[in-house]
Amino acid sequence: MKVSELAKAYGTTPDTVRYYTRLKLLNPIKSENGYKYYPPTEVSRFKFILSARQLGFSVSDIQQIVDEASHGKAACPLVRTLIKERLAETEKQFQAMLKLRENMSSALEQWECKEDKAPTSTMVCHLIDSFEPVGTEEPSDEK
C-alpha cells in the first residue's frame, strides 16, 4: 500500500502515516520510482499503533512496546504496567475536569442575578473577582 492508500484504509491522514514513518515506527519499502510502499507487516504495525493510541498510550509508550517485542520479549507485562499508569493519569484528569465543571456551574449560578458593571482601575470583571470556588476552605490562622 502507498501512504495515501494506507491512510484512507484506516480513516486517517497521509501526514499521520508519514509521522509514524519519521519516528521509525513504520518501515516502508522504497520503490524505484521513489514511492513508499507499506507491506502487510507494516500495515499490521500501523493498525497496532492506531489501536494503542485509542487506548491512550503515548508515542513513547508505543516505542517501548515495539522495542520490547522486537527483542523477542512478550510485551504484555509492559503493556499492563503502562495501561495502569495511563488509567491513573486519566483518572486524575477526569477528577480535575469534574472539579472544573463544578466550579463553572457554581460560577454561572452565582453570576445569574448579578448586574453588569463597567471595569475600574482595580477591577476588570467583578463577576470573576467575586467568584467563590466550590469546596475551598478558608485558610486557617493556626500553625
Side-chain angles (χ1 to χ4, degrees):
M1 286 186 164
K2 289 191 278 188
V3 171
S4 58
E5 295 169 335
L6 182 57
K8 187 175 181 181
Y10 287 94
T12 189
T13 65
D15 285 340
T16 300
V17 176
R18 289 184 194 104
Y19 172 71
Y20 292 119
T21 301
R22 274 194 313 276
L23 294 177
K24 302 205 185 309
L25 284 169
L26 295 175
N27 301 299
I29 298 167
K30 203 169 190 179
S31 68
E32 290 178 18
N33 63 9
Y35 286 112
K36 291 179 181 172
Y37 288 94
Y38 294 83
T41 55
E42 296 306 304
V43 172
S44 294
R45 172 74 57 92
F46 187 59
K47 183 176 184 277
F48 165 81
I49 292 167
L50 294 177
S51 294
R53 294 295 285 153
Q54 287 290 319
L55 285 165
F57 288 102
S58 69
V59 170
S60 176
D61 293 341
I62 295 167
Q63 287 171 324
Q64 286 181 56
I65 295 164
V66 168
D67 186 54
E68 194 87 355
S70 70
H71 286 92
K73 297 180 184 176
C76 298
L78 175 60
V79 167
R80 285 186 193 97
T81 298
L82 291 171
I83 197 77
K84 286 175 188 173
E85 291 172 8
R86 296 304 149 259
L87 182 58
E89 291 167 3
T90 302
E91 184 60 32
K92 266 181 147 173
Q93 292 170 345
F94 178 69
Q95 293 303 322
M97 291 304 292
L98 286 176
K99 181 69 175 164
L100 176 60
R101 180 175 152 230
E102 190 176 358
N103 278 330
M104 292 170 104
S105 293
S106 175
L108 191 58
E109 193 176 300
Q110 290 175 34
W111 299 342
E112 201 68 31
C113 297
K114 289 194 177 191
E115 65 185 58
D116 295 343
K117 291 184 182 178
T120 67
S121 62
T122 59
M123 180 219 20
V124 175
C125 178
H126 82 101
L127 297 177
I128 293 173
D129 287 342
S130 69
F131 175 65
E132 297 288 333
V134 176
T136 57
E137 298 175 14
E138 290 293 317
S140 172
D141 289 337
E142 297 175 21
K143 289 190 179 181

